[in-house]
């Protein structure tokens, strides 16, 4: 049996990034390194680089999230990027969307332990909750799926003129090019690649931003959204 990897001390940058929530960020890192590994939510080899590769890499996404908006973190997994984002941005209303029970159980425990009152955990797939959850301003995702597939799940959850922010690696530009046609059909009106976290993470975090127009998901999802809204109103009248 191999010895469990040890969580390194938090780097100085973490104190600046998380501010008053630094102690909570440390507790979250400890939970990932312990319960997260034990439950198979994160690989043991990731523990030595939890701070740089995971917590800080996700927290710096806050640089491009507008103030006071609603956010849905699709395929949240162990809470990345949703929980680091929640720790640095209490002005946001964040939904952690995750289909697997063992992951939502972990997320619920973390949210309650850290007192993240502005965070809600929802179990389900993106395609199942469309129309059941209020549309959001921003959809976030990290390591969920290739961009074209991710877009079919995330974009329909947006409000008109919302945006999807996907943390990607070296393949960001290639994925964006190959997904261009699919994004257009889903109602995307503008795309860009952003680099965030200067002076905090090296290399900087790469974010693919997909902005939508008045019909998130395009024509394909307009009927589904309308039907879901009618169903919701009928249920409320009962």
């Amino acid at each position: 049996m191999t010895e469990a990897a040890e969580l390194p001390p938090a780097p100085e940058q973490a104190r600046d990034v998380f501010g008053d929530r630094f102690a909570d960020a440390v507790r979250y890192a400890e939970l990932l390194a312990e319960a997260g590994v034990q439950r198979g939510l994160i690989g043991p080899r990731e523990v030595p680089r939890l701070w740089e590769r995971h917590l800080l890499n996700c927290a710096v996404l806050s640089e491009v999230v507008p103030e006071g908006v609603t956010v849905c973190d699709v395929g949240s997994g162990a809470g990345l990027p949703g929980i680091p984002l929640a720790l640095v941005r209490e002005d946001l209303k964040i939904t952690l969307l995750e289909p697997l029970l063992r992951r939502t159980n972990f997320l619920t425990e973390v949210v309650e332990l850290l007192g993240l009152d502005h965070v809600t955990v929802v179990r389900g797939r993106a395609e199942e909750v469309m129309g059941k959850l209020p549309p959001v301003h921003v959809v976030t995702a990290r390591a969920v799926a290739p961009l074209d597939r991710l877009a079919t799940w995330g974009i329909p959850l947006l409000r008109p003129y919302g945006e999807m922010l996907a943390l990607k690696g070296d393949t960001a530009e290639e994925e964006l090019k190959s997904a261009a046609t699919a994004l257009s059909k889903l109602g995307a009106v503008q795309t860009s690649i952003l680099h965030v976290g200067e002076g905090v993470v090296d290399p900087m975090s790469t974010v693919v931003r997909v902005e939508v127009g008045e019909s998130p998901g395009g024509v394909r999802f307009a009927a589904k959204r309308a039907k879901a809204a009618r169903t919701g109103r009928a249920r409320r009248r009962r």
Side-chain angles (χ1 to χ4, degrees), residues 187-206:
V189 295
Q190 188 169 335
T191 61
S192 53
I193 295 177
L194 312 173
H195 299 283
V196 295
E198 184 175 5
V200 178
V201 288
D202 185 18
M204 294 169 64
S205 300
T206 301

Side-chain angles (χ1 to χ4, degrees), residues 11-154:
E12 278 303 310
Q13 298 95 312
R15 292 183 179 273
D16 296 330
V17 170
F18 291 102
D20 293 342
R21 284 284 197 168
F22 173 70
D24 290 326
V26 171
R27 185 67 188 117
Y28 176 50
E30 293 170 346
L31 289 167
L32 287 174
E34 297 162 6
V37 171
Q38 292 165 7
R39 300 187 197 182
L41 305 182
I42 193 164
R45 292 183 180 180
E46 296 301 310
V47 173
R49 50 184 185 177
L50 267 178
W51 283 105
E52 288 81 1
R53 185 177 173 86
H54 298 286
L55 274 77
L56 289 173
N57 178 273
C58 291
V60 295
L61 182 63
S62 66
E63 294 177 18
V64 291
V65 177
E67 288 188 18
V69 298
T70 52
V71 178
C72 182
D73 189 31
V74 173
S76 194
L80 301 165
I83 288 178
L85 184 61
L87 287 170
V88 297
R89 294 288 300 277
E90 294 190 29
D91 59 300
L92 305 175
K93 295 291 185 184
I94 300 177
T95 298
L96 306 179
L97 181 62
E98 169 56 47
L100 295 184
L101 180 60
R102 62 188 171 91
R103 292 177 180 172
T104 53
N105 284 343
F106 175 79
L107 292 173
T108 299
E109 292 167 17
V110 171
V111 166
E112 291 177 356
L113 182 65
L114 302 185
L116 298 174
D117 298 332
H118 57 307
V119 178
T120 302
V121 179
V122 174
R123 185 186 175 197
R125 299 183 184 278
E127 57 269 34
E128 296 170 348
V129 301
M130 187 182 68
K132 299 177 183 177
L133 293 180
V136 296
H137 298 93
V138 177
V139 162
T140 59
R142 177 178 186 259
V144 174
L147 188 61
D148 55 350
R149 201 185 323 156
L150 173 63
T152 64
W153 301 333

